[in-house]
Amino acid sequence: MASLDVTETFHGIAYPGHLCTKETLQNALRFPFQDTDILIATYPKSGTTWIQEIVTLVCNRGDPHLSQTVENWARAPWLEHFYAPALLETSSQCPRILTTHLPYHLMASALQGSKAKVIYVSRNPKDVAVSFYHYHKLAKFLPEPGSFQDFLNAFLDGTLNFGSWFDHVKGWICPTVAVDNLLHITYEEMKLDLRSSIERVSSLLQCPLVEEEMNSCLKHCSFDSMKNNRMVNYTSVAPEIMDHTKGSFMRKGKAGDWKNLFTDEQSRHFDSIFRSRMQDCSLNFVWEAPTEDED
Ligand code: PPS
């Protein structure tokens, strides 16, 4: 494990050297998928931990034992992180739940011809930027974020760790070669109607749930449950790695929180870059919080 201030640059994208090396990133590109695998792909702060929890619960028919006893990164490891191969070698979990923040174009050849099921979660990018900004203050393996204005410029330029949000979303949603078995779900859909989002996941995974199992999934993947679950809230991470005095990983869990940080000018500038970068992609994002969720 490298020191916290190392950045690894791989195919033009920066990654935290604390978690990834060129070798671990290269290995992820050649990952031998099994047909039963489930791959969660996200740009950071888009709902990764939430979908990891949903998938874990659906695969276990609502039984929270695994999600309350094994940390998310151990039961749904990031393929590009240094610890993944050792974990997967000793795991008997079936199906395997895997996670990646890598862009589609880097994962394409490993996925080609595979029957693995892929779940891509996206979130409106203004909320992603705000969540990521706060996370940079907490996570000691990411660079200091500077002012929000500086951070936002870097987000829009695609120079942050994990690269450009625009390229990531467009790559996975409009891939050059169609990915079989890909479910695209948004953070806002999960906020608005968690039950039907879980139904879509259970249908992709061919794991139909009876009412009691569904209710258990709903209960255990609610924001309040997850905020209090040490297996997903990262409170067990050492303070040298995450400075818990600077904030919580499970911060607000809201849609539309960007309105509390963006100025009108920042929002207008963001909209114009968004329009130009996304003109070749017909995705519609939900930018406003549902009424009951407003601050
Ligand atoms: S990471 O670091 O990429 O794995 O982060 P990720 O899990 O993708 O994103 C963290 C944000 O997701 C919010 N979150 C939730 N929101 C609503 N309901 C549930 N159950 C939930 N679980 C996680 C979390 O609070 C982070 O968003 P912000 O806006 O910072 O609160």
Side-chain angles (χ1 to χ4, degrees):
M1 189 166 46
S3 69
L4 294 162
D5 53 6
V6 172
T7 296
E8 193 65 66
T9 302
F10 186 68
H11 288 260
I13 300 175
Y15 292 93
H18 171 67
L19 294 166
C20 312
T21 64
K22 280 206 173 46
E23 194 189 352
T24 68
L25 287 155
Q26 195 60 51
N27 287 342
L29 270 48
R30 293 190 290 247
F31 186 76
F33 283 100
Q34 297 172 4
D35 287 349
T36 49
D37 286 344
I38 302 163
L39 176 67
I40 292 167
T42 58
Y43 187 84
K45 314 325 281 182
S46 301
T48 323
T49 320
W50 199 1
I51 198 77
Q52 286 173 330
E53 199 72 342
I54 291 172
V55 170
T56 304
L57 286 161
V58 168
C59 289
N60 288 280
R61 313 239 169 223
D63 181 347
H65 179 73
L66 188 62
S67 63
Q68 289 179 348
T69 51
V70 181
E71 278 164 314
N72 64 317
W73 54 265
R75 63 178 136 91
W78 275 258
L79 294 177
E80 58 271 24
H81 289 181
F82 70 91
Y83 53 76
L87 270 175
L88 292 170
E89 211 168 289
T90 53
S91 163
S92 56
Q93 201 176 301
C94 185
R96 300 189 300 184
I97 306 171
L98 310 161
T99 306
T100 188
H101 283 324
L102 291 176
Y104 168 74
H105 72 276
L106 294 184
M107 289 307 297
S109 66
L111 281 171
Q112 204 170 6
S114 153
K115 292 195 174 68
K117 298 181 171 78
V118 181
I119 304 177
Y120 186 73
V121 183
S122 66
R123 183 181 191 184
N124 95 57
K126 290 181 180 172
D127 281 336
V128 171
V130 170
S131 179
F132 210 10
Y133 172 65
H134 288 293
Y135 188 58
H136 273 67
K137 298 186 198 164
L138 169 78
K140 309 294 277 179
F141 50 85
L142 292 171
E144 285 291 328
S147 70
F148 182 61
Q149 181 63 66
D150 291 344
F151 186 83
L152 198 53
N153 291 341
F155 181 88
L156 291 170
D157 289 345
T159 53
L160 294 177
N161 274 228
F162 305 99
S164 158
W165 177 89
F166 300 101
D167 293 344
H168 202 281
V169 169
K170 289 198 287 184
W172 279 101
I173 302 309
C174 324
T176 41
V177 180
V179 181
D180 293 335
N181 295 322
L182 184 140
L183 170 69
H184 173 216
I185 195 158
T186 69
Y187 180 95
E188 292 76 19
E189 284 165 344
M190 302 199 288
K191 281 297 294 181
L192 236 45
D193 189 349
L194 187 53
R195 176 181 286 265
S196 66
S197 302
I198 294 174
E199 276 165 2
R200 289 172 70 200
V201 170
S202 86
S203 153
L204 175 82
L205 305 184
Q206 295 167 319
C207 264
L209 302 173
V210 299
E211 188 58 16
E212 196 187 328
E213 294 165 344
M214 169 59 86
N215 288 336
S216 178
C217 288
L218 285 166
K219 175 176 167 199
H220 294 290
C221 66
S222 69
F223 183 73
D224 287 345
S225 293
M226 287 181 60
K227 195 173 172 61
N228 291 314
N229 180 356
R230 279 176 66 77
M231 298 297 117
V232 292
N233 65 15
Y234 288 89
T235 51
S236 57
V237 175
E240 304 79 57
I241 298 173
M242 276 193 191
D243 184 347
H244 302 289
T245 65
K246 299 271 171 65
S248 310
F249 181 92
M250 294 287 169
R251 196 181 57 92
K252 284 195 177 176
K254 289 178 183 272
D257 181 49
W258 62 271
K259 292 191 165 183
N260 293 313
L261 195 57
F262 275 63
T263 63
D264 289 347
E265 197 185 330
Q266 285 168 340
S267 181
R268 274 195 301 275
H269 178 61
F270 195 105
D271 292 344
S272 84
I273 306 275
F274 181 88
R275 271 195 301 276
S276 106
R277 293 295 313 272
M278 298 300 277
Q279 58 184 337
D280 50 347
C281 185
S282 58
L283 278 182
N284 284 321
F285 282 93
V286 172
W287 303 94
E288 307 284 330
T291 320
E292 74 274 18
D293 210 30
E294 276 167 6
D295 276 348

